[in-house]
């Protein structure tokens, strides 16, 4: 039927719903109503995925018009909080809502920003991987103006992220996230990395291109994930045994592969392999300079590692003299003591980690492990180079990627170490084709990996460890999870709190840990784009904890399980309604490494629904009502809104004395962005970005690789030997014991110079059995989870379209089980079952798939909603309510892994 | 001549459903309606398992079964290969839906909204009443192609002239172009890669080509046919499902229409004079009731007259046309008692019955219907039921013994004939394969056309022939059995055994440097 002519227009915006973004899109508007999401093909030449967005972006139209949205500010009338309580929210005006919040904040400011325990009185929790900042306008400027904020109440950080990878990755190669150099690589060995579900548009496009090119990807994982489906081979490994497989690969390269097939030059020049290790496990150092010594084969004597024209030995033992520096200024002077290079120590360290040894642990044939290791070496192209943007760089087209539960929690250190070490053995770290870091968060500056490469001790990069030495160690951390006290690697950047042991903050709300400050509740808690009552572990305990918080402000899209406990709900403009400018391109999370960098505008596609307000307006109002306007504006001028408003040859700073409109703030930001991108030559503002959507300049592909930055400064990757970690571990141990803290002793054992293998399955089984007083044999299955591209990070379980299309992908809404295992329990497809761990239980439907180990169950995504409209009717199970928060299952970096043992029983009826 | 087609590179596809969502945006389809979607297919037994993602939708076939069956000419095929639906012509009979072997067609009978209650603003804005109660499916975004061509753009190259699913595909798995243009991207991909089309054996000439070959088997062919897996696990969305388009109302048309037309034929042949009036009028009433039932099932009942628009090819149109003289002659015969008119009516009844059989055979999307043995089976079943009803009437009306004996002998012959055609049908179906669910339904029916079941009425008839005094009673009892088993069979065939074709993958794709593997035809079996 021919339609009446409508006024149709297009608005450019971006999607940053997941950490694998941002991506660019257009929204089609008919008569003022958003009707369609479309790719932004004007970005096809600058965006690695050709200006396309993934399925999640198509949920934004429904997200805008969802009748279940909160569209007016609301306040709670029932002062009792809990899952069983009706909050009795009633609409209020913006004035009343903002005045109520401001009054609370002003009270806090009056009482002091820090409470008696030394914790910030104001706390805030934001969702996945920092993506909320792309939607919260200038709220970061308000937080900066406010002062100390406690961000330790995690919404998934630490337990759902690549935690060990973040911390060790940053230490070793500025790799908050690690990625294969997919555009060049030939072989990817993927231990549970689910890039086809979590790698975003760029990841999907690049890996599809790589497959078309003939890349060989081997997926090592207990179930056949989407990524496994797209791989050349699937190796169904026993859950949480990946470290044994990786250690066996290291063994293969060092004990069964000819040395000449390793990149010995890389090991000598770009790693600490040649550093001599003294009897107490620390480097042997020059007595005066304190520099580590190496054995020079040319002069047959020990020399400082950075002496030119030497040929450092990697193997054998040497009698040498020098000084050994231990923890807390302990030192030993050695004369003619037998020392060996770190590489030789490594060879010895992995001697027993044979493929046969690993085979029994992993339930994978030794020959399969051998063939994978051999393929890794076969594809390494040792000695080859490639020219990138006029620079000749090593070419090593092999990479290993790690996924969640492999690279976090206990075992994360082992796996990250082995993966990075394997890359070093073939010279494939931070070179074309190899293993790359793609973003930096703990080191500064956070927007440029290259600039973050600064010289540190012993020829390595600087790393901003939290101090562990006597006198400098912080016995009281400015956060409720003690990140600066317990986790030196968490550093002290704006991101560090999120990289602390966030579950400790929740756990301690129930029972504090001995000799830490009293775990107080925050006076005010802000929540945005997160639902920790669903997305964290032991969701019952988390819900109970947040129900105790005295004043919670939730920026609310719909009612949900977290804002069920809120005092004030604020409806902010959603994705298609708000105005904001963000940085795009360069090198960001996952596979977001571009050949361009710049800025993109989130231009409102439609007018706000109801009483929803732009987040920048809300932030300005709060700043004004709390007397922080000047500091707030100053923070915006400094760049807290995403772009510094002044620079060389330009200054678009806002008058700090007055409140500015949303458009004024972002117009200044757009002008500053234009100036930044043109070195001050141009200064187009909001109108330009509204017309074009984005603005970029070239980002050299050579900057994808950190190797040249290190080589230029003659720096080395801090591998294989972790002398620094060994030292700080000993120091931390001393500090904690001085405070009579012994409950972190297991974690302190992880500070090894080279990690030894631990039986992680037994660790889990023992912790669960002892922690809950159960016979673990009654819980025969390992329960895992996997990301869903349709849902991951999106907070979109309430979107019907997403639910509908996700239903086409196996695994949503139920429990995936191997048919043989199901047959033993007389279970059939669709049967309703109860899944119980020692910590809790949930219900779901059996989904039979051959692509899963018989000893493993899988629940895709995060559900179990009970308050979120629409989502609560879908009855989808989630492992979060089954996974306990336990100190015993917390590693030294403060992270846990999504893993628990469960039992199942039929409860009658079909799904 | 241009032949637009989609190329789906199974090596690239990750099953993300972005194309599914983009299609829903572009076409404002109702919640639950997906013109484009991506299947999640698994093959093998742990630990040797493969998983692939297979985009499906309307195949815009070279020889589309939906086109032939459409009684209204609402479904047409453009010169460039695009199969279209004229929503203003369609009566929503859903015949095209059961004829499509790719489950590409849907019918939405009332406006649907994502969250219940009132439509959201964008839903309200994009509501199209023309789409309600009629068949709908992928248009291949023909409006974009046409506008693009008018603007001098190249479909498949320029996004504005290319289907939304293709332009949205984040993996670069979907391509579009003119496969008859050797210079097109689509033709080049087909030339450079091994590919298959789904259900190629049905000779529909589907317009989605699946690339499957990898580095190691790019040069080699393959001979492994996809394996029929009778009871696949976790493949409900891929395996044949019972068709949802025709329910008991459509079954009633075949039950009542078949029996009614058979009754008219039998009455005309066996009974003369005024005695024939009641069976003839009963026959017409049965047929009318059947047609009324099916009228109640169509989405746009007040457009029913459009059913006459496609007599050239649609057996549904022909059935409708046959019904007109059938009723004319039938009523006239009953009124005038004319043998000539009765025979004319019987001839029309036979044509009507034959049309019903051919309606089923043309429903290519349902394996148990489309088999060529369905035609004699449905015809003999209708005649047998008709004769059975005639026998019952004869017994009740107390007709002459000679007539009764004649009817008994004829009934024996038809029971035998019906059983023979059933055996041939069932045997051929078993030898060629069909959805497992269809076999279960056919073989689990309480009254079957098997030898064991049909010997009972035959024996009763024979007993009646041997004992004249009991012939009317035994004939009536046997006839009830015969009619009941025929009706149960047809009801089962339509409403229980009408499983659709399901989906099949000829070859599981190679992924990167991996190898391809044999495909799968889930939910099918030989039996």
């Amino acid at each position: 039927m021919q339609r009446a002519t409508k006024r149709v227009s297009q608005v450019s915006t971006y999607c940053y719903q997941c950490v694998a973004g941002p991506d660019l899109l257009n929204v089609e508007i008919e008569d003022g109503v958003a009707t369609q999401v479309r790719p932004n093909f004007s970005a096809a030449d600058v965006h690695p995925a050709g200006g396309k967005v993934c399925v999640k972006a198509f949920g934004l139209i429904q997200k805008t018009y969802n009748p279940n949205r909160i569209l007016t500010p609301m306040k709670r009338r029932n002062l009792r909080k809990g899952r069983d309580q009706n909050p009795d929210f009633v609409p209020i005006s913006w004035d009343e809502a903002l005045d109520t919040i401001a009054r609370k904040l002003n009270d806090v400011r009056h009482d002091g920003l820090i409470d008696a325990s030394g914790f910030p009185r104001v706390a805030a929790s934001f969702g996945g991987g920092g993506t909320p900042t792309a939607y919260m306008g200038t709220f970061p400027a308000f937080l900066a103006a406010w002062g100390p904020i406690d961000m330790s109440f995690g919404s998934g950080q630490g337990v759902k992220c690549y935690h060990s990878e973040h911390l060790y990755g940053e230490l070793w190669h500025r790799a908050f996230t690690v990625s294969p150099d997919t555009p060049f690589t030939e072989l990817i060995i993927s231990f549970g990395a689910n890039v086809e579900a979590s790698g975003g548009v760029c990841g999907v496009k690049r890996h599809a291109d790589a497959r078309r090119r003939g890349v060989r990807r081997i997926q090592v994982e207990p179930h056949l994930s989407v990524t496994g489906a797209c791989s050349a081979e699937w190796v169904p490994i026993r859950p949480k045994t990946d470290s044994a497989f990786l250690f066996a690969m290291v063994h293969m390269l060092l004990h069964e592969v000819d040395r000449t097939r390793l990149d010995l030059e890389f090991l000598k020049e770009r790693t600490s392999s040649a550093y001599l290790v003294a009897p107490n496990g620390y480097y042997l150092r020059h007595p005066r300079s304190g520099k580590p010594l190496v054995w020079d084969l040319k002069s047959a004597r020990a020399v400082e590692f950075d002496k030119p024209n030497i040929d450092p030995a990697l193997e054998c033992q040497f009698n040498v003299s020098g000084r050994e520096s231990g923890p807390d200024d302990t030192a030993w002077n050695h004369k003619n003591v037998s020392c060996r290079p770190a590489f030789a120590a490594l060879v010895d360290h992995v001697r027993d980690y044979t493929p046969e040894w690993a085979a029994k642990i992993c339930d994978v044939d030794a020959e399969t492990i051998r063939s994978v290791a051999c393929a890794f070496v076969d594809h390494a192209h040792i000695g080859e180079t490639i020219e990138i943007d006029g620079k000749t760089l090593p070419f090593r087209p092999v990479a290993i990627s790690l996924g969640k539960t492999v690279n976090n929690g206990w075992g994360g250190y082992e796996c990250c170490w082995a993966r990075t070490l394997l890359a070093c053995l073939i010279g494939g770290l931070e070179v074309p084709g190899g293993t790359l870091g793609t973003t930096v968060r703990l080191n500064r500056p956070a927007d440029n990996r290259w600039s973050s490469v600064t010289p540190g001790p012993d020829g390595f990069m600087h790393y901003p460890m939290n101090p562990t030495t006597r006198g400098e160690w912080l016995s009281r951390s400015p956060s409720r999870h003690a990140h600066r006290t317990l986790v030196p690697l968490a550093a002290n950047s704006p991101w560090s709190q999120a990289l602390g042991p966030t579950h400790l903050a929740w756990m301690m709300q129930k029972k504090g840990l001995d000799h830490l400050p009293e775990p107080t509740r925050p006076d005010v808690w802000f929540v945005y784009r997160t639902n920790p009552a669903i997305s964290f572990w032991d969701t019952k305990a988390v819900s109970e904890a947040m129900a105790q918080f005295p004043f919670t402000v939730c920026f609310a899209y719909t009612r949900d399980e977290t804002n069920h406990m809120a005092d004030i709900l604020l409806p902010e403009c959603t994705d298609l309604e708000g105005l904001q400018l963000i940085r795009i391109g360069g090198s960001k999370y996952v596979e977001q490494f571009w050949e361009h960098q710049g800025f993109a505008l989130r231009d409102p596609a439609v007018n706000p629904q109801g009483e929803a307000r732009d987040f920048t307006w809300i932030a300005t109002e709060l700043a004004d009502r709390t007397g922080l306007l000047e500091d707030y504006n100053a923070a915006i001028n400094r760049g807290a809104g995403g772009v510094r408003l002044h620079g060389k040859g330009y200054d678009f700073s806002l008058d700090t004395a007055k409140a500015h409109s949303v458009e004024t703030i972002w117009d200044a930001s757009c002008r500053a962005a234009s100036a930044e991108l043109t070195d001050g030559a141009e200064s187009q503002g909001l109108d330009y970005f509204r017309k074009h959507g984005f603005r970029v300049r070239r980002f050299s592909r050579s900057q994808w690789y950190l190797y040249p930055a290190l080589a230029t400064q003659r720096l080395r990757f801090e591998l294989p030997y972790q002398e620094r970690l060994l030292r700080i571990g000993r120091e931390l141990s001393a500090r904690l014991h001085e405070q009579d803290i012994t409950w972190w002793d297991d974690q302190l054992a992880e500070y090894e110079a080279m990690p030894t293998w631990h039986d992680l399955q037994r660790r889990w089984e023992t912790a669960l059995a002892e922690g809950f007083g159960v016979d673990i044999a009654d819980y025969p299955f390992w329960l895992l989870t996997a990301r869903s591209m349709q849902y991951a990070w999106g907070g979109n379980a309430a979107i019907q379209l997403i639910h509908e299309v996700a239903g086409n992908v196996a695994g949503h809404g139920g429990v995936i089980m191997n048919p043989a295992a199901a047959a033993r329990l007389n279970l059939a497809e669709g049967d309703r079952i109860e899944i119980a761990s020692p910590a809790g239980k949930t219900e779901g439907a059996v989904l039979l798939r051959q692509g899963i180990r018989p000893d493993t169950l899988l629940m895709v995504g995060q559900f179990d909603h009970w308050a979120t409209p629409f989502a609560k009717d879908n009855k989808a199970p989630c492992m979060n309510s089954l996974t306990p928060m336990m100190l015993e299952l917390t590693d030294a970096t403060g992270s846990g892994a999504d893993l628990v043992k469960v039992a199942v029983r039929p409860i009658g009826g079909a799904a | 001549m241009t032949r637009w087609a989609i190329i789906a590179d199974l090596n690239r596809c990750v099953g993300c459903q972005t194309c599914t969502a983009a299609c829903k945006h572009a076409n404002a389809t109702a919640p639950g309606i997906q013109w484009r979607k991506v299947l999640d297919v698994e093959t093998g037994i742990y630990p040797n398992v493969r998983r692939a993602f297979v985009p499906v939708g309307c195949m815009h076939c070279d020889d589309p079964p939906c086109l032939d069956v459409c009684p209204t000419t609402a479904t047409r095929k453009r010169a460039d290969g695009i199969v279209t639906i004229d929503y203003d012509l369609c009566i929503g009979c859903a015949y095209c839906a059961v004829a499509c072997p790719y489950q590409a067609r849907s019918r939405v009978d009332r406006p649907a909204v994502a969250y219940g209650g009132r439509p959201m603003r964008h839903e309200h804005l994009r509501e199209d009443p023309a789409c309600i109660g009629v068949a709908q499916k992928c248009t291949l975004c023909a409006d974009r192609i046409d506008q693009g061509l008018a603007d001098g753009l190249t479909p498949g190259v320029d996004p504005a002239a290319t289907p939304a699913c293709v332009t949205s595909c984040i993996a670069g798995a979907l391509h579009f172009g003119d496969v008859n243009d050797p210079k097109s991207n689509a033709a080049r991909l087909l030339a450079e890669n091994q590919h298959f089309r789904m259900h190629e054996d049905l000779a529909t000439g589907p317009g989605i080509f699946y690339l499957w070959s990898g580095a190691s088997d790019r040069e080699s062919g393959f001979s492994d046919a996809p394996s029929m897996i009778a009871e696949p696990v976790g493949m409900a969305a891929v395996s044949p499902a019972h068709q949802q388009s025709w329910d008991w109302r459509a079954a009633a048309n075949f039950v009542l229409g078949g029996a009614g037309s058979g009754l008219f034929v039998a009455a005309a042949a066996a009974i003369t004079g005024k005695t024939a009036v009641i069976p003839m009028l009963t026959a017409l009433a049965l047929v009318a009731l059947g047609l009324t039932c099916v009228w109640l099932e169509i989405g746009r009942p007040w457009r029913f007259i459009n059913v006459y628009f496609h007599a050239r090819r649609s057996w549904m149109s022909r059935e409708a046309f046959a019904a007109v003289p059938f009723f004319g002659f039938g009523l006239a015969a009953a009124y005038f008692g004319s043998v000539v008119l009765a025979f004319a009516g019987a001839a029309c009844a036979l044509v009507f019955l034959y049309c019903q059989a051919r309606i089923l055979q043309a429903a290519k999307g349902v394996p148990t219907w489309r088999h060529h043995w369905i035609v004699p089976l449905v015809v003999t079943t209708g005649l047998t039921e008709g004769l059975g009803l005639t026998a019952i009437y004869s017994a009740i009306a107390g007709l002459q013994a000679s007539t009764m004996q004649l009817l008994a002998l004829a009934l024996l012959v038809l029971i035998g004939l019906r059983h023979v055609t059933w055996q041939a049908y069932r045997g051929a179906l078993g030898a060629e394969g069909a959805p497992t669910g269809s076999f279960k339904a056919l073989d689990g029916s309480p009254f079957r056309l098997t030898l064991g079941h049909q010997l009972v009425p035959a024996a009763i008839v024979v007993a009646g022939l041997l004992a004249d005094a009991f012939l009317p009673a035994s004939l009536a009892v046997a006839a009830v059995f015969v009619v009941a088993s025929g009706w149960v069979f047809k009801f089962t065939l339509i409403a229980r055994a009408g499983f659709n074709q399901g989906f099949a993958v000829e070859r599981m794709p190679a992924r990167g440097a991996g190898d391809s593997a044999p495909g799968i035809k889930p939910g099918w079996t030989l039996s």
Side-chain angles (χ1 to χ4, degrees), chain A residues 85-105:
Chain A
Q85 296 293 317
N86 176 3
D88 196 14
F89 286 118
V90 291
I92 54 174
S93 69
W94 270 101
D95 265 338
E96 183 181 349
L98 292 169
D99 282 343
T100 306
I101 298 166
R103 200 162 44 246
K104 284 281 179 190
L105 289 172

Side-chain angles (χ1 to χ4, degrees), chain A residues 364-698:
Chain A
V364 174
D365 286 346
E367 283 318 302
T368 300
I369 298 172
R370 275 201 170 80
S371 74
V372 171
C374 289
F376 185 73
V377 178
D378 292 344
H379 285 271
H381 293 234
I382 305 292
E384 288 189 22
T385 59
I386 187 171
E387 190 160 305
I388 304 286
D389 287 346
K391 293 179 181 153
T392 301
L393 297 172
F395 180 59
R396 303 285 181 275
V398 290
I400 297 173
S401 49
L402 307 180
K404 194 159 66 72
T405 307
V406 176
N407 61 11
N408 62 342
W410 288 112
Y413 174 36
E414 288 97 302
C415 291
C416 291
W417 175 79
R419 178 265 300 276
T420 319
L421 171 63
L422 283 160
C424 287
L425 292 176
I426 51 87
L429 189 61
E430 293 292 340
V431 301
T435 300
L436 312 181
T438 56
T439 195
V440 60
R441 283 288 173 268
L442 299 174
N443 289 276
R444 315 306 292 173
D447 60 349
N448 190 324
R449 293 178 69 229
W450 272 43
S451 300
S452 76
V453 177
T454 53
D458 302 339
F460 304 126
M461 288 183 280
H462 169 73
Y463 190 87
M465 299 272 188
N466 288 313
T468 50
T469 53
R470 190 175 290 120
E472 291 186 60
W473 178 69
L474 297 172
S475 61
R476 296 165 82 91
S477 187
S479 62
R480 286 171 176 78
H481 59 2
H483 74 290
R484 298 202 67 196
T485 301
L486 297 175
V487 188
L489 277 169
N492 189 29
S493 85
W495 275 70
S496 293
Q497 290 201 27
L499 273 299
T502 62
H503 55 296
L504 294 193
W506 291 115
M507 286 168 65
M508 284 195 280
Q509 287 296 306
K510 194 171 185 180
K511 184 176 182 301
L513 290 165
D514 293 345
H515 308 295
L516 286 185
E518 182 67 21
T520 56
R521 296 176 188 121
D523 291 29
V524 177
W525 183 39
F526 286 106
V527 181
Y528 179 51
R529 280 200 178 226
T530 186
N531 187 3
I534 289 295
S535 64
F536 213 80
W537 286 347
D538 195 350
T539 46
K540 183 169 178 285
V542 168
S543 298
E544 288 169 357
M546 63 178 65
Q548 300 301 315
F549 292 177
F551 189 74
T552 297
V553 179
C554 288
F555 297 93
Y557 167 57
T558 65
R559 290 281 305 280
D560 66 30
E561 292 68 18
T562 295
N563 67 38
H564 190 77
M565 316 298 177
D567 294 273
I568 298 286
L569 305 182
L570 297 180
E572 102 286 2
C573 290
T574 56
D575 312 45
L576 300 185
E577 298 166 331
L579 176 66
Q580 188 163 355
L581 186 77
I582 62 162
R583 289 182 186 274
I584 58 171
S587 186
K588 289 181 183 289
Y589 279 101
V590 199
E591 303 254 355
Q592 281 269 354
F593 37 109
W594 297 31
E595 293 185 61
H596 296 80
Q597 64 180 1
F599 295 87
L601 184 73
R602 185 159 60 92
D603 193 12
V606 293
N607 293 325
Q609 303 297 292
E611 293 294 313
R613 290 284 187 273
D614 192 286
F615 219 127
T616 295
W617 179 85
I618 299 171
T620 306
E621 285 291 320
L622 283 175
D624 200 11
R625 290 167 199 244
T626 52
L628 296 172
L629 196 58
E630 191 158 346
D631 291 340
Y632 165 74
N633 282 325
I636 294 174
N637 291 340
R638 285 198 309 272
V643 54
R644 195 179 179 89
L645 300 188
H646 51 88
K648 193 177 175 184
Y650 62 92
D651 189 348
F652 302 103
S653 298
L654 302 168
D655 177 354
T656 56
K658 65 177 195 179
H660 299 280
S661 71
V662 173
E663 295 226 342
T664 302
I665 291 170
W666 293 111
D667 183 62
S669 299
C670 289
R671 290 184 182 283
S674 292
E676 181 186 312
L677 292 174
T678 58
D679 296 324
E682 298 183 34
S683 61
Q684 293 92 337
L686 200 49
D687 289 345
Y688 175 94
F689 278 88
R690 281 198 158 134
K691 183 177 178 188
H692 298 281
F694 62 93
R695 184 168 198 170
V696 293
R697 67 178 175 190
R698 291 285 298 177

Side-chain angles (χ1 to χ4, degrees), chain A residues 324-336:
Chain A
E324 184 180 7
S325 298
D328 288 330
D329 299 326
T330 316
W332 302 269
N333 288 313
H334 297 295
K335 282 207 166 181
N336 276 331

